[in-house]
Amino acid sequence: MTPLPIAAGAVLGLLVSSWWWLLAAPFALGLLSTLVRSRRYVASLGHAERAEDLVVREGLWSRSTTVVPYGRLQHVTLTEGPIDSRFGLARLEIHTAASGTTTVPGLPVADARALRARLARRTGGRDEGL
């Protein structure tokens, strides 16, 4: 919805009066800010598979690191919303016995499916945390 006020302010600024640019300016700045923040947020996402656990990090302003031991893992859900599907992305929700749910967002669909399969293999036969 942000492009509509920007376009309206630009058209009115060109046709009617230059004061109409003031309508477009806050929306343009907000759109620019969102684009910069979203790039930085995507760069802050990450995960690492280690021998005994999965480490997930995220956060733009306050960073968090979650360590999920394979022995505590109950099940993994692969989710593709309409926007995710449009860009070929998926989100893994990792449900654990103790801490609830940890999410790994923004993975390409093939990578998400491969990670889900690897997690299922690594948890097979381990029930010490359940």
Side-chain angles (χ1 to χ4, degrees):
M1 296 306 284
T2 300
L4 184 62
I6 294 172
V11 168
L12 291 172
L14 290 172
L15 298 177
V16 179
S17 169
S18 61
W19 286 101
W20 283 100
W21 284 103
L22 293 177
L23 171 70
F27 292 100
L29 289 174
L31 180 62
L32 180 66
S33 171
T34 299
L35 291 174
V36 169
R37 281 184 292 132
S38 63
R39 285 180 183 255
R40 290 186 62 212
Y41 178 71
V42 169
S44 74
L45 298 175
H47 71 281
E49 297 175 70
R50 299 190 307 189
E52 295 297 321
D53 52 29
L54 175 73
V55 179
V56 179
R57 71 175 170 87
E58 68 175 319
L60 181 59
W61 302 109
S62 61
R63 304 217 173 167
S64 69
T65 302
T66 306
V67 178
V68 181
Y70 296 131
R72 297 265 180 195
L73 195 133
Q74 289 184 325
H75 67 278
V76 180
T77 306
L78 182 101
T79 306
E80 294 178 62
I83 295 174
D84 292 331
S85 294
R86 171 80 171 105
F87 294 104
L89 300 174
R91 176 177 56 246
L92 277 182
E93 294 177 0
I94 302 165
H95 303 273
T96 60
S99 64
T101 303
T102 302
T103 303
V104 183
L107 294 172
V109 175
D111 293 347
R113 288 182 179 148
L115 179 58
R116 181 180 60 180
R118 286 193 305 271
L119 290 175
R121 266 195 320 273
R122 287 189 174 174
T123 60
R126 290 187 186 181
D127 60 355
E128 68 267 7
L130 300 177

